[in-house]
Amino acid sequence: MAVKINFNAEAAKTHTALIQNERAMGRSLLRLSTGLRILSAADDSAGLFIADMLGTVASALEQGNRNIQTGISALQIAETSVGQIYTKLQEIYVRAQSAANDINDPNARQALQQEIRNFVDAIQKIGTDTEYNGIKLLDGTFKDKYIHYGPRMEQTVYVSISDIRAQSIGAHMLVTAGTASS
């Protein structure tokens, strides 16, 4: 019994070359379609490590930018509320100047005093109720907050807002029963 095996060496070499060319073409097309020079550690292991690190830093910077934008939004809300408090303090000052006039009768002074009480209550409400994302901003609890903006541990911005409620800024009532003299 005779066994005959046919083998075409040229066809095998051609087939191997074809497979290598298809792999190279596939890598080239992948690089062209993704725009990346380094696709795996086989292409350039050191370059891949550097590219991965730069990608990580870029992601951290993007998140840092979002963190800063969130912090800016919170501080803008606080700034607007403090502006409202300042306006109310100016109105209190005007009412106090008006009440100091001796031409006013007691009813007018009581009306002015009631307006001042209303302004103090409004200041207290603004200071107590101003918040961002459930965090109170003006009641004195927004202290020692850090906003992380970069890929490194020490890349932070320190933020702290003092208590802006009526009793903390001196907008409280003095009740007297005496008379004033100049």
Side-chain angles (χ1 to χ4, degrees):
M1 168 161 36
V3 176
K4 186 176 180 183
I5 298 176
N6 290 330
F7 180 72
N8 187 347
E10 286 76 26
K13 285 181 188 177
T14 305
H15 184 266
T16 302
L18 178 65
I19 290 173
Q20 288 175 345
N21 284 338
E22 284 179 352
R23 285 182 188 154
M25 188 174 67
R27 255 194 320 269
S28 295
L29 287 174
L30 187 59
R31 284 188 181 131
L32 283 173
S33 67
T34 62
L36 301 175
R37 183 182 72 83
I38 303 170
L39 297 172
S40 68
D43 295 332
D44 181 4
S45 60
L48 181 63
F49 175 75
I50 291 169
D52 284 346
M53 291 304 297
L54 288 174
T56 301
V57 169
S59 296
L61 288 172
E62 287 173 5
Q63 182 58 49
N65 186 35
R66 287 190 292 272
N67 291 349
I68 288 293
Q69 293 303 320
T70 301
I72 288 171
S73 296
L75 293 176
Q76 285 174 337
I77 289 171
E79 179 184 23
T80 301
S81 296
V82 169
Q84 292 174 356
I85 289 172
Y86 181 74
T87 302
K88 292 184 181 355
L89 287 172
Q90 287 177 324
E91 292 297 325
I92 289 172
Y93 179 75
V94 169
R95 300 308 187 280
Q97 288 290 356
S98 180
N101 187 0
D102 280 338
I103 304 300
N104 289 326
D105 68 349
N107 291 334
R109 281 196 172 137
Q110 283 180 347
L112 289 169
Q113 186 62 43
Q114 185 57 45
E115 283 186 58
I116 290 172
R117 280 191 197 99
N118 292 341
F119 284 127
V120 170
D121 290 343
I123 290 170
Q124 184 69 19
K125 182 162 180 46
I126 291 169
T128 303
D129 293 348
T130 300
E131 62 180 45
Y132 179 82
N133 201 22
I135 300 170
K136 300 284 186 181
L137 297 176
L138 302 179
D139 67 350
T141 59
F142 195 78
K143 296 249 186 222
D144 303 326
K145 304 296 182 188
Y146 291 92
I147 300 172
H148 197 269
Y149 66 86
R152 308 284 183 263
M153 182 177 73
E154 66 278 353
Q155 292 177 326
T156 57
V157 175
Y158 171 78
V159 179
S160 190
I161 301 175
S162 298
D163 190 354
I164 311 289
R165 292 176 296 175
Q167 69 269 17
S168 299
I169 61 173
H172 48 271
M173 296 293 175
L174 292 176
V175 179
T176 63
T179 59
S181 62
S182 57

